Amino acid sequence: MTKTTLSIIGLGAAGTSLFAQLIEHLNKNNKHQELVINVFEPSKNLNVGISYCTDSQTSLLNSTVDRTSLFADNLLHFYKWLQKNKLSLIDKYPVLENMTPSSYLPRKLCGLYLQDTFKQYVKIAKELHIVVNLINEEVIDICNDKNKTVIITNTNKQFITNKIILTTGHIYANPYKEFSQYENFFSAPYPESTIINKIKNNSQVLVLGSRLTAIDLALSLLKNDTLDVYLSSRSGCMPMIKAPCEDYQPIYMKLKNIKQEISIEKMLAIIQKEFIHLYKSDEIVANLMKRHYNENDFLNEYAQTIGGSSKWQLLATIFDSFIEQTWEKLGFPERNDFVNKQHAFLTRFTATMPLDSAKLISQYLKSHKIKLISGLKALQRNQNKTFSIITDEEIINNIQFDYAINATGYSHNLKTQSLYANLSKANKLKFNEYNSLNVDANMEVKGHDLGSCQIFSFGPPIFGTKIIVDFLLFIANDAKKVVQNII
Ligand SMILES: Cc1cc2nc3c(=O)[nH]c(=O)nc-3n(C[C@H](O)[C@H](O)[C@H](O)COP(=O)(O)OP(=O)(O)OC[C@H]3O[C@@H](n4cnc5c(N)ncnc54)[C@H](O)[C@@H]3O)c2cc1C
């Protein structure tokens, strides 16, 4: 029997979920296929992916333990893994002592879970006589050579393949590329330890961004209490805080109110009505919907959250599905508008901050160890090698930052990555209007010119243009669809 070669390109959470669910499926169904699996991953921090390679205890998962699993059919897989490994982890992660399925745990634990699960399934694959090759290289092209599909890596090695799964994940957005040449500018915020080791004591550190990534980074930086950290972004908008609260039945933000012909304006109008109903005032709507924020906005929201009077909490879970469902109903021009104009604003309500992180941030804001500057327009390099920023109103000359770190998030334009740029240039894969990949319901990539090779993709290369909340679960579900269709 000829062997089928299956190539997984990218071993973050998506690649790991696919691999584990595939081997689990073969094992359960007693299918001892003649299979070779080539896994391509350039990162030394193998199979953790960008989101979970953080080495900080303060970077928390933004989903609860029971909404974090590599297996679509086993939501408590992570929870059970934690219970099984509690003894060996508890010294380093005392938070495990009181863990429940609804805890928000350090993201690093999810990284350890991914690594360990992968190892376990490599063992099972061996028992099934499936060959697994880990190739520690970046894939830079895929070619069609005499009707054979060939994967090419950055050292020009070539691998023939029958099926491909693209799980290449996030691409950092770096609007400050021209500063990448300077040693005191960091293009990406991870891994934090690499950055922290390079930063000298008593420095002023500018973090470009004010969302979850920027917040995680600021909390890690402040383990060195000689540093002063400034968060700066255009809006100064920080994520809303997620805390336990009672159930709430919405009056306006009902899924049935998202009709076939929903527009972004109508969606925003429904959200506003719900806020007005909850707060009995439209002043609060203006506050929650405004485009420029300051430190007090966050401190007030935190005080209301711990005081139990933050009405927003009642909407937190409804918000997620409401926005996801709206997205599904929008046509292309509206989606484009959503991504370009509303995405950043609305993610404040969907990518929210666990209460524990909010507590630390509020302490640092009060003690002025973290300062928030909104109205960011541009970054500037000074003659003395420091950085300054230009805001809407004026040039801030009085603060000279010793370091600047880009934490502005992620791009959904795949073509900024060499693999996709090459595939696009040669017209080998078709890209959609957002420069992401088009897939069908089975996650198979639509429209490609690479011989008979079947290509699947899921994770951020696809949902970079969507609104999704429990990412890992979403990924696990898509991985399951690929497994069902690839075998
Ligand atoms: C800061 C941050 C925090 C998050 N927190 C959560 C959370 O708490 N809960 C949650 O559910 N989701 C969270 N997410 C969402 C997260 O995107 C998903 O949960 C998931 O981790 C994405 O996994 P991935 O494998 O698709 O991507 P990634 O983790 O980005 O992994 C992709 C891998 O592919 C490799 N790769 C890329 N290009 C190539 C190539 N050409 N050749 C070979 N290898 C390649 C990369 O090196 C990388 O290791 C977070 C995301 C971020 C950015």
Side-chain angles (χ1 to χ4, degrees):
M1 201 200 286
T2 48
K3 290 196 173 192
T4 300
T5 301
L6 200 149
S7 303
I8 302 176
I9 304 181
L11 190 62
T16 306
S17 175
L18 185 276
F19 180 80
Q21 293 195 70
L22 174 65
I23 303 298
E24 177 77 13
H25 179 83
L26 295 174
N27 195 19
K28 258 197 187 145
N29 295 292
N30 222 3
K31 284 191 179 169
H32 293 215
Q33 284 219 339
E34 289 287 300
L35 198 62
V36 175
I37 305 180
N38 287 338
V39 181
F40 297 85
E41 171 55 58
S43 159
K44 300 258 175 319
N45 204 351
L46 204 62
N47 127 259
V48 175
I50 286 172
S51 330
Y52 312 109
C53 68
T54 164
D55 28 31
S56 154
Q57 291 262 353
T58 47
S59 297
L60 300 183
L61 286 164
N62 51 32
S63 317
T64 51
V65 178
D66 58 357
R67 308 286 302 163
T68 306
S69 171
L70 287 169
F71 292 84
D73 294 331
N74 186 355
L75 294 190
L76 288 182
H77 191 260
F78 180 40
Y79 181 64
K80 287 180 194 151
W81 180 88
L82 287 164
Q83 282 182 319
K84 193 169 144 213
N85 292 285
K86 194 167 162 181
L87 268 183
S88 60
L89 294 169
I90 200 133
D91 281 349
K92 206 160 172 214
Y93 300 94
V95 62
L96 289 176
E97 189 61 66
N98 301 317
M99 168 191 69
T100 70
S102 51
S103 304
Y104 292 94
L105 296 180
R107 275 221 300 281
K108 174 81 182 166
L109 280 168
C110 189
L112 296 175
Y113 162 64
L114 297 190
Q115 280 183 316
D116 190 50
T117 307
F118 182 69
K119 255 195 235 151
Q120 300 305 328
Y121 279 91
V122 169
K123 262 194 221 154
I124 301 174
K126 276 194 186 141
E127 285 160 19
L128 297 176
H129 303 290
I130 294 168
V131 180
V132 180
N133 299 313
L134 261 174
I135 299 141
N136 203 200
E137 301 201 12
E138 181 187 352
V139 172
I140 53 156
D141 208 353
I142 305 171
C143 295
N144 190 7
D145 185 13
K146 296 181 195 125
N147 219 20
K148 288 204 163 75
T149 306
V150 184
I151 286 178
I152 301 167
T153 68
N154 54 327
T155 59
N156 221 9
K157 290 198 189 89
Q158 306 201 350
F159 300 82
I160 293 176
T161 191
N162 305 104
K163 300 181 190 228
I164 294 176
I165 301 116
L166 292 164
T167 43
T168 50
H170 296 283
I171 296 161
Y172 284 113
N174 184 4
Y176 305 98
K177 276 195 199 72
E178 69 271 32
F179 298 99
S180 302
Q181 55 180 304
Y182 303 119
E183 57 178 19
N184 55 345
F185 181 86
F186 299 92
S187 304
Y190 295 117
E192 297 101 321
S193 55
T194 318
I195 297 176
I196 289 164
N197 289 340
K198 288 186 181 163
I199 290 184
K200 294 192 182 127
N201 284 347
N202 302 309
S203 298
Q204 312 258 37
V205 185
L206 172 67
V207 174
L208 295 151
S210 61
R211 298 301 177 89
L212 286 178
T213 308
I215 282 164
D216 282 351
L217 178 64
L219 292 178
S220 301
L221 288 168
L222 282 168
K223 286 205 201 94
N224 178 347
D225 62 10
T226 71
L227 302 180
D228 284 319
V229 175
Y230 294 77
L231 297 181
S232 187
S233 70
R234 224 171 315 171
S235 66
C237 175
M238 291 164 91
M240 296 299 278
I241 302 159
K242 194 155 36 183
C245 71
E246 67 210 66
D247 274 350
Y248 171 72
Q249 292 305 321
I251 307 292
Y252 304 99
M253 280 175 71
K254 290 180 177 165
L255 295 187
K256 79 173 177 44
N257 286 347
I258 306 169
K259 302 263 161 45
Q260 204 58 43
E261 71 284 4
I262 186 102
S263 64
I264 299 175
E265 281 69 31
K266 283 186 193 159
M267 176 197 71
L268 290 173
I270 295 175
I271 295 173
Q272 288 192 18
K273 275 193 194 167
E274 196 69 58
F275 277 131
I276 292 171
H277 169 76
L278 269 175
Y279 286 88
K280 311 279 179 259
S281 137
D282 43 12
E283 208 175 290
I284 190 74
V285 173
N287 200 28
L288 282 166
M289 299 264 178
K290 68 185 186 182
R291 304 281 165 149
H292 279 281
Y293 296 84
N294 59 37
E295 294 171 1
N296 283 336
D297 290 316
F298 181 81
L299 290 173
N300 288 341
E301 181 59 36
Y302 177 70
Q304 285 171 11
T305 305
I306 51 170
S309 63
S310 167
K311 304 272 190 232
W312 137 258
Q313 295 301 328
L314 299 171
L315 295 177
T317 49
I318 302 161
F319 225 101
D320 295 350
S321 44
F322 189 79
I323 302 229
E324 265 184 45
Q325 300 277 321
T326 305
W327 170 267
E328 294 304 323
K329 297 275 163 64
L330 297 176
F332 170 68
E334 285 269 293
R335 284 186 176 186
N336 209 24
D337 242 30
F338 202 130
V339 168
N340 292 326
K341 295 196 195 132
Q342 307 295 343
H343 192 207
F345 163 63
L346 286 165
T347 46
R348 162 174 157 77
F349 297 102
T350 52
T352 48
M353 181 189 315
L355 190 58
D356 286 353
S357 308
K359 182 177 175 187
L360 288 172
I361 291 288
S362 77
Q363 283 165 358
Y364 285 131
L365 282 174
K366 281 182 195 154
S367 62
H368 306 294
K369 290 302 285 178
I370 293 181
K371 293 176 196 94
L372 182 68
I373 308 172
S374 70
L376 173 66
K377 246 167 85 183
L379 183 67
Q380 176 178 279
R381 175 86 170 167
N382 302 322
Q383 279 194 334
N384 65 356
K385 297 188 178 169
T386 61
F387 296 98
S388 297
I389 53 174
I390 300 169
T391 63
D392 285 340
E393 291 88 37
E394 54 181 326
I395 297 183
I396 304 208
N397 284 318
N398 55 343
I399 312 173
Q400 300 207 335
F401 304 103
D402 305 297
Y403 300 91
I405 308 168
N406 173 41
T408 46
Y410 305 89
S411 162
H412 53 78
N413 182 353
L414 280 185
K415 291 182 194 167
T416 54
Q417 219 227 38
S418 43
L419 168 62
Y420 294 103
N422 287 335
L423 291 170
S424 153
K425 252 186 259 155
N427 235 352
K428 292 179 204 159
L429 274 192
K430 299 272 177 296
F431 293 79
N432 63 22
E433 300 90 336
Y434 314 96
N435 292 324
S436 303
L437 289 173
N438 262 345
V439 296
D440 63 17
N442 303 325
M443 311 317 293
E444 196 169 343
V445 180
K446 307 279 273 182
H448 51 88
D449 183 16
L450 287 162
S452 54
C453 185
Q454 234 184 337
I455 302 182
F456 296 87
S457 183
F458 60 99
I462 311 305
F463 70 54
T465 54
K466 285 192 183 178
I467 309 291
I468 290 164
V469 180
D470 289 315
F471 292 90
L472 200 55
L473 278 192
F474 197 88
I475 283 172
N477 265 309
D478 284 347
K480 183 183 160 188
K481 284 185 217 158
V482 176
V483 168
Q484 284 164 349
N485 286 287
I486 209 166
I487 294 301

